[in-house]
Amino acid sequence: MRTASRLLLFLCVLVVPLAAQETAPPPRTTAVKAAHLIDPQTGSVLDHPTVLIVGGRIEKVGPSAEIKVPPGAPVIDLGPATLLPGLIDAHVHLTGDPQHAGYRALGISVPREGLTGAKNARRTLEAGFTTVRNVGAGGFADVALRDAINAGDVPGPRLLVSGPALGITGGHCDENLLAPEFHYHADGVADGITAVITKVRENIKYGADVIKFCASGGVFSKGDLPGSEQYSPAEMAALITEAHRLGRKAAAHAHGTQAIIDATNAGVDSIEHGSLIDDAGIAAMKQHGTYLVADIYNDDFILGQGKQYGFTEEMLAKERMVGQRQREGFRQAAQAGVKIAFGTDAGVYPHGWNARQFAFMVKYGLTPLEALQSATINAADLLGWSDRVGSLEPGKFADLIAVEGNPLTDVTVLEHVKFVMKGGEVIKDELRK
Ligand SMILES: [Zn+2]
């Protein structure tokens, strides 16, 4: 009797999954149609396109006359709109808001930052940014946010996250606003070669996809100078080598001229900000194929509204020093042929405004197509995700957006994304009301 019931149990365990497999529905098929589709690789425009999506990935892209949509599959027809791949911002801080600037930041807990991140993840996705790289978050709040988005608990873009940014004691990536008796230092502080290697390993242990470090001083910190190098070349080389050894890319916050050169020569994958770049820095970045991720929009916001958001006078003074200089440096670097990836430092200004930077990139030297490439194929390359995002090609995630008008003649249409799809799921649709 006992043996028989055991046998029955065994059969149930064996048979039930098989039966479930047999009845599992086939992967969902959807078609998206519009008037135009832009290929960011070439800038070519396909008229009357159909994108066929199976199981959240792109199956086929081509003229509607040539793409056969299986009977019964839903067709999303976006009429006169233009389709593009979902946009990518390679430098955001989803767990931060501008109203948490300066001393106000000290009262915000890590759990609260996580919830702020959930709000901003949704805003960013609805603005058309279906992938973002989060470079710097305390307490691994960005790892938690990434995991919650991947689990389907909260809506948001695909996230590549760094956890706490590495930095020297008292540097830009430390927290310098508290008096000594608080004995506080930020999560990412590590001094010396052994300590930076350990910190890289620790960040990866707790879920970091990328390593972010502060090579120079910064604007939104107390008592340091954006132009000064902070990590030594030897410390940078050690932490970048360790990141690469463990299969992660490294991003350097670097405003200062020497920090840009030294981080680049140490093999960093991207220079963030790059404000005080000179000819030697441009030459080094070209030689190494290093990406420049320059947040050239937010100066207007910080100087215009920073005071009311709580940025200290020291921070505003530093922004006045580097803001416009950064835009000129961006123009020189872009004209010299340095690789550009789109990154805005959203969090310093309100999330969801990411696309406002496109117009500034065009004003400071890029063509509209180059600006679009920076937020699609280039950013995907920097992230190491060219196999999954950045263009509308078979096998990639069905992450796509639609706009009214032509972004190749007017990039500001990207500030008003009307339709967003992530992984084949419609996130926003203002075209078919
Ligand atoms: Zn930043």
Side-chain angles (χ1 to χ4, degrees):
M1 196 56 200
R2 233 188 201 175
T3 315
S5 62
R6 271 191 194 164
L7 184 67
L8 191 66
L9 184 71
F10 171 75
L11 281 173
C12 284
V13 169
L14 188 75
V15 168
V16 168
L18 284 177
Q21 262 176 23
E22 277 168 21
T23 55
R28 223 167 83 96
T29 299
T30 317
V32 180
K33 296 183 179 211
H36 313 286
L37 180 148
I38 294 174
D39 175 2
Q41 308 264 11
T42 59
S44 62
V45 179
L46 175 66
D47 290 330
H48 309 297
T50 291
V51 181
L52 195 66
I53 294 152
V54 178
R57 287 185 186 260
I58 296 168
E59 178 82 4
K60 278 181 195 160
V61 181
S64 292
E66 292 173 19
I67 302 281
K68 233 180 123 183
V69 180
V75 175
I76 298 169
D77 192 337
L78 300 177
T82 298
L83 288 175
L84 299 150
L87 302 170
I88 303 168
D89 190 328
H91 189 130
V92 300
H93 301 278
L94 290 176
T95 59
D97 267 336
Q99 56 268 36
H100 299 163
Y103 283 90
R104 295 176 190 175
L106 299 176
I108 311 291
S109 68
V110 169
R112 185 68 184 86
E113 286 177 343
L115 293 167
T116 298
K119 173 196 68 173
N120 291 329
R122 179 175 49 75
R123 282 190 186 171
T124 303
L125 180 60
E126 288 174 355
F129 288 79
T130 52
T131 299
V132 299
R133 188 178 66 157
N134 202 82
V135 279
F140 294 93
D142 53 354
V143 170
L145 181 60
R146 175 200 66 195
D147 293 348
I149 291 169
N150 289 347
D153 294 345
V154 294
R158 298 181 199 285
L159 249 60
L160 197 107
V161 304
S162 71
L166 274 69
I168 65 164
T169 294
H172 176 64
C173 286
D174 197 358
E175 175 56 79
N176 304 331
L177 294 172
L178 291 163
E181 57 267 37
F182 287 94
H183 303 289
Y184 179 79
H185 60 78
D187 295 337
V189 169
D191 297 304
I193 286 170
T194 308
V196 295
I197 291 173
T198 305
K199 188 62 79 174
V200 167
R201 292 174 181 172
E202 191 180 293
N203 274 5
I204 292 170
K205 171 181 175 179
Y206 293 121
D209 303 304
V210 59
I211 298 300
K212 162 86 182 293
F213 67 95
C214 283
S216 84
V219 172
F220 306 115
S221 43
K222 184 185 169 194
D224 66 333
L225 303 169
S228 297
E229 186 163 60
Q230 293 196 334
Y231 270 129
S232 69
E235 286 170 313
M236 290 193 230
L239 77 88
I240 293 166
T241 302
E242 190 62 14
H244 288 170
R245 211 169 63 77
L246 298 174
R248 303 315 197 266
K249 296 199 180 197
H253 160 104
H255 291 284
T257 310
Q258 194 60 44
I260 293 167
I261 294 167
D262 287 341
T264 300
N265 288 333
V268 80
D269 298 281
S270 61
I271 294 292
E272 312 294 310
H273 311 295
S275 307
L276 306 177
I277 196 166
D278 66 354
D279 289 345
I282 288 171
M285 289 183 74
K286 277 194 73 176
Q287 187 198 332
H288 289 272
T290 314
Y291 273 101
L292 176 62
V293 182
D295 50 330
I296 61 168
Y297 159 68
N298 60 42
D299 184 53
D300 281 29
F301 174 82
I302 295 157
L303 295 184
Q305 295 166 72
K307 201 180 168 84
Q308 76 196 56
Y309 277 93
F311 291 92
T312 65
E313 189 43 52
E314 178 189 347
M315 295 172 186
L316 297 173
K318 289 198 275 189
E319 181 62 30
R320 278 181 220 110
M321 257 166 49
V322 299
Q324 194 53 37
R325 175 70 183 79
Q326 182 193 34
R327 292 172 176 179
E328 297 303 335
F330 173 84
R331 186 202 301 275
Q332 287 161 18
Q335 281 172 355
V338 170
K339 294 198 282 185
I340 307 286
F342 187 93
T344 64
D345 219 1
V348 161
Y349 70 95
H351 292 272
W353 293 11
N354 312 58
R356 293 188 185 196
Q357 186 170 286
F358 286 111
F360 285 78
M361 295 173 101
V362 169
K363 185 176 174 191
Y364 289 93
L366 298 191
T367 65
L369 175 61
E370 287 167 342
L372 179 62
Q373 287 171 332
S374 78
T376 52
I377 51 173
N378 289 10
D381 181 44
L382 170 59
L383 270 53
W385 281 6
S386 294
D387 60 339
R388 63 196 84 171
V389 297
S391 62
L392 299 177
E393 291 176 290
K396 294 197 179 180
F397 287 122
D399 295 351
L400 47 98
I401 62 169
V403 294
E404 288 172 331
N406 183 357
L408 298 181
T409 52
D410 177 9
V411 282
T412 65
V413 301
L414 296 170
E415 295 171 22
H416 312 285
V417 169
K418 301 291 182 187
F419 175 88
V420 180
M421 173 180 269
K422 180 190 165 200
E425 188 194 334
V426 177
I427 303 294
K428 172 181 177 178
D429 184 357
E430 293 178 355
L431 291 167
R432 297 183 303 155
K433 279 185 283 189

